[in-house]
Amino acid sequence: MADGIEKLTEVPVEFFKDGSAFVKKCSKPDQKEYFKIIKAVGIGFIMMGIVGYAVKLIHIPIRYLIV
Amino acid sequence: MAGFRLLDLVKFFLPILPEIEYPFEKISFDERIVYTVSCAVIFLFGQLPIYGLKKNAQFYIEDPFYNFRSIFSMQQGTLLEFGLLPVLTSGFIWQIAVGLRLINVNLGNRLDRELFQTGQKLTSFILAIIYTVIFIYVGYFDNVIKGYNPIEIGGNIPWGSYFLIGLQLCSWSWIITLLVEIFDKGYGFGSGSLCFLILESATNFIADLVGVEIYPLVNSNKFETYGASLNLIKNFKIFSPKETAFQIYHAFTRIQFPNLTQFYISLFSILVVIGLQNFRIEVPIRSTKMRGMNNIYPIKLLYCGALPLLFAYTIIANLKIFNYLFNFALSPYFPTLTFKLYGSRKVLNSTIISFAFSIIEAFAVIILSSWFANKWSFISGSSPRDISKQFKDQGISISGKRDVSITKEFNRIIPVASVSGAFIIAVVAVIGEFFGGLGKGVSVIVGVASAFGILEEFMIEYQQAGGSQFTNALSGFQ
Amino acid sequence: MSTSSSSQAPGGLRNAVKRKSTADKKQQSQNATPLSTRSAGAGGSSSTMMKLFTDEAQGLRVDPLVVLFLAVGFIFSVIILHVFAKITGKFT
């Protein structure tokens, strides 16, 4: 039984050790790269949102007319 | 498993289930754009109000599911009442069940593969029916059905309205499944369900901030703008600082409409996810055929993207729906036992019980997504074994490693990457939820993280197609 | 696959051979039944992508355009229902 409990705590501890080691080893984006990506993704996301919202806007008069 | 398999049940339904034709030849890049856009627009048109409900029904329905609506694009009182939940649930169930060998399917066999796919579709269709029945049985729509007053004793039950509402919900859910199939069959980009999720989260992000619709406040005769910042700007009064202070406070805390707290949580989550997306381990690779061909093969920290988080919330959403049913079904027998697990908006986080449950839920999300990430990294089509096989086919090897140990090397890296990635992303999501994100933060995390995967596919296709007429036409304008 | 290992495995040659053969067998059995449609070579979910329908199965064959028109038709029928209800509601 004690063995089981030990194993139960062992898994998360091991996981945190591995995980933090992994994250440390990762190559991370530097600030310039990060801002570049944010700009690209941000523009894409907002464009998509605006298109989606435009379709949603069409719904407002339709809703008003039909309900 | 003596001769009987779950898949054989599916066989009976084979002839009646619609099946999108596989494209005869490779679809051109432009055609794919057209299909993607038209599917997306049709998906968005699912926001039509259900026929048979009162006006502005979405504000009068007692909503037990408010905190995961935006994740699955479930929109209250509209045709998208279930959103993508049936498709995602059935997909996860089947793929996990096969991956963990819970059901006996040999995917190497063509017929089995077809049955497996039809099984996913059938499950999605059936889940839509089940959800509809649950919602109607529990009386979810009772408050808002036109010409029906549930409190009135002796009023006749509106079977006709129930039937019409159910029909609309089921049919739209089935159409969504077929739209997803159009994407997955290669007419669109990436995976259908994820594309719709991205679109929805982007739309919500904009609508929550600058939505111009004006809706009445429930239980009062005031009106408010849907967009949080727009409402704040509209009510800004420079000459009365006290009123302005109140309005700013109100913009962060209003509950019937999106508030600025949710916006900032979403923004914060987007920034974190974009950062995490570029965390990667670069494995040096070399070609075994040509000398001096060195390159790197990146393994991302978010190896499974947002799927673990999506899986965790799919499970929780389903549990909540069934809990909703049991709460209702058992309440006449155990009135003391069935305390309300998930209160309505009014008692939001106001009791200790709901606080305890949100903590349990947070842990469940983290554990479920870590578990899923671990399993998924082996059972998805890009497991260490698949990648090493791919390497072998292309004559690539890891520098400084023999051919044999490629799988071993990837086995060492990939599960750790995917589990830690899923863990971090789940923690970010849970923190957002804890501060009152109401699923908005989770929804943008899923959206942004999936967008990267689809963008990758898009760019690869774009380069292979060598540009397209669309972009050529666009660049002509500049 | 090269079968000779350069370093002596602990536990002696016989154990190593045995272990290798069981490992091979295990791998074979794993290769025999792929765990996902993608590893079966038919497309399907990848690590970041959730794909459900990538094979062509039997069933009621429909063109994707048919589905799109069906969806639009459905939307219009709901709209017409609404309009109809509104008009009749006005007169009564």
Side-chain angles (χ1 to χ4, degrees):
Chain A
M1 195 60 210
D3 200 37
I5 292 169
E6 211 166 76
K7 253 189 193 146
L8 211 67
T9 54
E10 201 178 304
V11 173
V13 168
E14 191 89 330
F15 159 68
F16 277 112
K17 239 192 252 163
D18 282 355
S20 55
F22 185 89
V23 173
K24 260 183 216 137
K25 226 169 55 181
C26 275
S27 57
K28 300 164 187 78
D30 56 8
Q31 215 165 28
K32 210 174 136 199
E33 201 185 343
Y34 181 60
F35 282 119
K36 217 174 86 190
I37 299 163
I38 283 189
K39 223 170 106 185
V41 173
I43 290 173
F45 201 69
I46 289 174
M47 286 286 273
M48 214 150 138
I50 288 173
V51 171
Y53 186 64
V55 177
K56 212 173 182 170
L57 272 183
I58 302 173
H59 277 263
I60 301 170
I62 295 180
R63 244 176 213 247
Y64 181 76
L65 280 177
I66 64 177
V67 184
Chain B
M1 289 284 171
F4 174 76
R5 300 186 311 161
L6 200 63
L7 271 191
D8 294 331
L9 275 179
V10 177
K11 256 185 207 157
F12 296 112
F13 297 93
L14 261 185
I16 52 165
L17 283 177
E19 174 76 26
I20 308 275
E21 271 172 4
Y22 213 69
F24 289 118
E25 49 202 19
K26 208 169 179 320
I27 311 241
S28 75
F29 188 77
D30 290 344
E31 267 180 298
R32 287 178 81 170
I33 292 184
V34 171
Y35 272 114
T36 307
V37 171
S38 44
C39 283
V41 170
I42 288 175
F43 177 78
L44 286 173
F45 262 93
Q47 302 161 1
L48 274 180
I50 300 174
Y51 170 71
L53 299 187
K54 286 177 197 160
K55 198 170 182 173
N56 282 333
Q58 68 265 40
F59 300 127
Y60 300 100
I61 298 176
E62 188 101 341
D63 186 11
F65 312 118
Y66 57 90
N67 54 0
F68 55 84
R69 278 194 182 274
S70 42
I71 306 173
F72 302 103
S73 70
M74 301 160 74
Q75 304 199 15
Q76 234 180 336
T78 70
L79 296 174
L80 276 173
E81 183 71 57
F82 307 134
L84 291 159
L85 195 57
V87 189
L88 287 171
T89 311
S90 96
F92 277 126
I93 290 176
W94 278 91
Q95 300 194 5
I96 284 275
V98 171
L100 301 181
R101 296 181 197 284
L102 300 176
I103 51 173
N104 182 11
V105 179
N106 181 4
L107 288 178
N109 183 343
R110 180 163 177 82
L111 185 68
D112 269 22
R113 220 155 53 213
E114 288 177 5
L115 284 178
F116 168 73
Q117 179 186 316
T118 314
Q120 297 185 50
K121 198 183 300 168
L122 185 67
T123 316
S124 157
F125 283 8
I126 292 176
L127 275 173
I129 299 177
I130 292 176
Y131 294 153
T132 310
V133 169
I134 289 177
F135 274 48
I136 288 178
Y137 171 68
V138 177
Y140 175 83
F141 295 110
D142 279 0
N143 271 332
V144 288
I145 289 178
K146 240 183 208 163
Y148 172 61
N149 185 3
I151 303 156
E152 182 188 342
I153 297 170
N156 41 352
I157 298 165
W159 291 115
S161 300
Y162 280 158
F163 176 75
L164 266 182
I165 290 170
L167 191 70
Q168 288 172 72
L169 287 179
C170 280
S171 337
W172 190 249
S173 219
W174 295 348
I175 288 173
I176 293 288
T177 307
L178 292 178
L179 287 182
V180 167
E181 189 178 345
I182 291 178
F183 267 79
D184 288 357
K185 281 260 163 79
Y187 292 96
F189 292 102
S191 110
S193 35
L194 291 185
C195 256
F196 290 146
L197 284 185
I198 296 168
L199 182 66
E200 184 68 21
S201 68
T203 307
N204 279 342
F205 187 72
I206 296 293
D208 290 356
L209 194 63
V210 292
V212 294
E213 307 100 302
I214 297 173
Y215 287 118
L217 278 177
V218 170
N219 297 331
S220 81
N221 49 5
K222 279 195 239 160
F223 288 85
E224 264 192 34
T225 315
Y226 188 79
S229 68
L230 209 65
N231 191 55
L232 179 61
I233 292 167
K234 224 173 75 183
N235 292 324
F236 219 78
K237 291 194 183 71
I238 289 180
F239 301 109
S240 96
K242 205 177 162 196
E243 171 70 13
T244 306
F246 171 74
Q247 283 300 341
I248 291 174
Y249 173 76
H250 180 66
F252 278 92
T253 53
R254 61 182 194 162
I255 44 176
Q256 192 189 335
F257 299 106
N259 56 33
L260 280 180
T261 317
Q262 289 160 6
F263 167 73
Y264 281 113
I265 287 169
S266 307
L267 195 67
F268 170 75
S269 313
I270 291 178
L271 294 182
V272 171
V273 170
I274 292 176
L276 285 177
Q277 184 69 33
N278 289 285
F279 278 36
R280 62 198 176 263
I281 290 259
E282 283 162 351
V283 181
I285 54 171
R286 65 180 165 80
S287 169
T288 49
K289 284 174 189 149
M290 274 183 283
R291 276 194 180 279
M293 280 280 283
N294 291 321
N295 215 331
I296 46 163
Y297 185 82
I299 291 179
K300 286 189 204 118
L301 176 64
L302 301 182
Y303 190 74
C304 297
L307 285 184
L309 193 62
L310 194 58
F311 170 77
Y313 274 98
T314 310
I315 298 283
I316 285 178
N318 276 292
L319 285 180
K320 279 190 182 172
I321 287 182
F322 284 101
N323 172 55
Y324 180 54
L325 169 68
F326 291 133
N327 249 351
F328 177 79
L330 295 179
S331 56
Y333 309 109
F334 309 100
T336 48
L337 213 143
T338 51
F339 48 91
K340 279 228 160 154
L341 294 192
Y342 302 102
S344 60
R345 281 170 211 244
K346 285 166 220 146
V347 288
L348 186 69
N349 290 341
S350 63
T351 59
I352 296 173
I353 288 175
S354 81
F355 181 74
F357 269 98
S358 55
I359 295 223
I360 291 174
E361 193 185 309
F363 274 105
V365 167
I366 292 173
I367 290 169
L368 273 173
S369 51
S370 308
W371 177 84
F372 177 84
N374 186 22
K375 297 290 178 205
W376 191 253
S377 62
F378 288 107
I379 65 180
S380 76
S382 7
S383 63
R385 208 149 37 85
D386 295 319
I387 294 180
S388 60
K389 205 172 134 210
Q390 198 186 328
F391 269 31
K392 210 185 232 167
D393 293 344
Q394 295 174 358
I396 303 172
S397 164
I398 301 178
S399 311
K401 292 274 189 317
R402 277 172 299 120
D403 262 9
V404 197
S405 52
I406 296 179
T407 313
K408 216 184 272 170
E409 181 69 15
F410 279 134
N411 259 332
R412 208 167 51 78
I413 302 174
I414 288 180
V416 178
S418 67
V419 174
S420 355
F423 178 81
I424 294 171
I425 223 177
V427 169
V428 174
V430 161
I431 290 173
E433 284 299 87
F434 204 73
F435 285 108
L438 293 188
K440 309 264 184 198
V442 183
S443 135
V444 291
I445 290 178
V446 173
V448 170
S450 322
F452 278 102
I454 288 174
L455 202 68
E456 242 164 57
E457 194 181 317
F458 183 81
M459 288 321 282
I460 291 170
E461 285 295 318
Y462 179 71
Q463 274 154 12
Q464 275 175 1
S468 77
Q469 285 172 7
F470 271 117
T471 44
N472 288 346
L474 280 180
S475 59
F477 282 119
Q478 283 165 0
Chain C
M1 197 184 275
S2 68
T3 46
S4 67
S5 74
S6 52
S7 64
Q8 194 86 350
L13 188 64
R14 226 161 107 216
N15 259 345
V17 170
K18 214 180 195 173
R19 215 177 313 131
K20 201 160 254 172
S21 78
T22 50
D24 274 354
K25 240 181 229 159
K26 203 173 157 196
Q27 201 173 20
Q28 256 171 14
S29 73
Q30 276 177 347
N31 278 336
T33 54
L35 291 172
S36 66
T37 47
R38 180 180 283 263
S39 44
S45 296
S46 69
S47 58
T48 54
M49 213 62 96
M50 175 87 190
K51 286 195 179 177
L52 281 76
F53 315 111
T54 45
D55 241 313
E56 174 146 55
Q58 295 143 16
L60 215 62
R61 295 288 164 85
V62 280
D63 197 78
L65 281 177
V66 173
V67 173
L68 294 187
F69 282 123
L70 199 94
V72 173
F74 180 75
I75 298 237
F76 269 108
S77 64
V78 173
I79 291 180
I80 287 169
L81 271 177
H82 274 295
V83 171
F84 197 68
K86 192 168 182 181
I87 291 172
T88 52
K90 278 233 169 99
F91 283 121
T92 49

